[in-house]
Amino acid sequence: MAGEAGGAALGRAAEKLFSLSGLFAVRKPKGPTSAAVLNLLKERLLAEAGVQTKGDKRNQVLKIGHGGTLDSAATGVLVVGIGKGTKMLGTMLAGSKKYTAVGMLGKATDTLDATGKVTEEKPYDQVTKGDLENVLQKFTGEIMQVPPLYSALKKDGKRLSTLMKRGEAVEAKPARPVRVYSLSLQQFQPPLFTLDVECGGGFYVRSLVNDIGKELSTCASVQELTRTKQGPFTLEEHALHEDKWTIDDIAQSLEHCTALLLGEPARKKLKTEHPGETAVICEDK
């Protein structure tokens, strides 16, 4: 009888898991890639439901995806679609996102962040808080931006970052229009400075910080990056910590987020956001 009860419980858990549908958010930690976080989430849910899979078959068993990659060194909101919710991820890719970034003046790297090799060092003593605030105005609104070479953009079906790591020659993608809704300086303690930015799809915070450094006649790279909001999902209110990656917690979150999405004002999708590329351009950021 105990075995039958256990089997029934597992059956109910699996039934509940496969009935889940919609969008929710998890808190991505620093270190793993977004794909690795998603795989861990799948493994946790399938194990809780008692569903045994081998290798990549878990991808066929449970329909799940994310709405915009974060760098492995970045933390914050990772929007996840489950069931029919995977069809809604396109709007998350193209929609607005908010980030808090800590930049460092005087040091440039090949990846434009702290994970890369230092490629240049320049003095930054001449840069004042006022200089930095004035420069930010040039990067607000619709601007032209060159994506980083280390990115999820693809050439011949392969990620540029993968080609770069292999030592293959990679040409920079041409500059393209992107949208910055707001940009503000939160802290200035040279060489470090902290920015809050709200942007549209396809925007790279690493490129922004790099460009700011050049504009100030020095160089700069990202030291820390956190996505604080994506669409209506905020880091503090909606992103589930790893200990909440359970069927019941996600079910509750889906209920809450359905109401959240219904109340979200639709942003007009900009022509500048390259809908054909959105699945791969949201690495950063």
Side-chain angles (χ1 to χ4, degrees):
M1 293 292 288
E4 288 178 17
L10 283 175
R12 285 196 296 272
E15 191 177 332
K16 184 168 185 178
L17 172 60
F18 293 119
S19 71
L20 297 179
S21 187
L23 297 178
F24 63 100
V26 298
R27 182 184 287 257
K28 181 198 169 295
K30 188 174 183 177
T33 63
S34 297
V37 169
L38 202 65
N39 283 333
L40 178 60
L41 177 64
K42 288 177 190 173
E43 287 170 9
R44 291 270 186 89
L45 294 175
L46 290 170
E48 184 187 349
V51 178
Q52 295 185 348
T53 59
K54 291 183 180 179
D56 291 337
K57 286 189 177 179
R58 64 172 176 261
N59 296 319
Q60 300 163 18
V61 171
L62 183 63
K63 197 172 183 182
I64 195 168
H66 66 70
T69 309
L70 273 169
D71 286 342
S72 56
T75 65
V77 176
L78 187 67
V79 175
V80 178
I82 190 167
K84 293 180 180 178
T86 55
K87 295 179 180 179
M88 303 163 66
L89 290 172
T91 56
M92 288 293 107
L93 285 163
S96 84
K97 304 159 189 71
K98 288 185 179 179
Y99 298 89
T100 296
V102 178
M104 175 181 278
L105 293 168
K107 192 174 286 187
T109 71
D110 55 359
T111 59
L112 311 187
D113 66 12
T115 66
K117 296 176 183 176
V118 176
T119 56
E120 187 178 24
E121 291 190 65
K122 281 187 173 183
Y124 57 85
D125 297 347
Q126 75 281 6
V127 178
T128 67
K129 183 180 180 182
D131 291 335
L132 190 46
E133 287 175 330
N134 288 335
V135 161
L136 296 188
Q137 295 174 26
K138 296 183 180 181
F139 294 97
T140 305
E142 188 171 296
I143 64 170
M144 297 299 291
Q145 186 184 71
V146 177
L149 288 176
Y150 278 89
S151 71
L153 287 171
K154 293 185 177 181
K155 177 188 177 185
D156 300 328
K158 295 181 180 178
R159 287 189 173 202
L160 295 186
S161 55
T162 303
L163 297 175
M164 289 286 290
K165 287 170 186 174
R166 286 181 189 165
E168 296 184 27
V170 176
E171 289 184 11
K173 292 279 187 177
R176 59 192 183 183
V178 290
R179 174 73 67 172
V180 180
Y181 297 109
S182 65
L183 179 61
S184 60
L185 179 65
Q186 299 303 310
Q187 277 190 309
F188 182 64
Q189 295 177 314
L192 301 178
F193 61 97
T194 303
L195 302 174
D196 276 353
V197 55
E198 181 179 7
C199 55
F203 184 85
Y204 284 89
V205 178
R206 286 180 288 140
S207 291
L208 168 70
V209 170
N210 180 64
D211 291 343
I212 286 171
K214 290 177 180 176
E215 195 70 31
L216 290 167
S217 300
T218 179
C219 51
S221 53
V222 171
Q223 296 302 294
E224 294 178 27
L225 183 63
T226 304
R227 185 190 281 160
T228 56
K229 189 177 182 184
Q230 184 172 5
F233 301 97
T234 66
L235 183 60
E236 297 305 321
E237 291 181 64
H238 310 112
L240 297 175
H241 285 268
E242 203 172 319
D243 61 345
K244 298 286 187 183
W245 294 0
T246 68
I247 295 170
D248 285 343
D249 283 313
I250 289 171
Q252 288 180 13
S253 185
L254 285 169
E255 283 185 30
H256 177 54
C257 293
T258 299
L260 191 70
L261 289 162
L262 289 172
E264 171 75 351
R267 276 199 189 274
K268 184 179 179 181
K269 189 171 180 180
L270 299 166
K271 291 181 181 178
T272 61
E273 288 173 356
H274 307 272
E277 294 181 351
T278 46
V280 293
I281 58 180
C282 294
E283 178 175 359
D284 239 85
K285 261 23 165 233

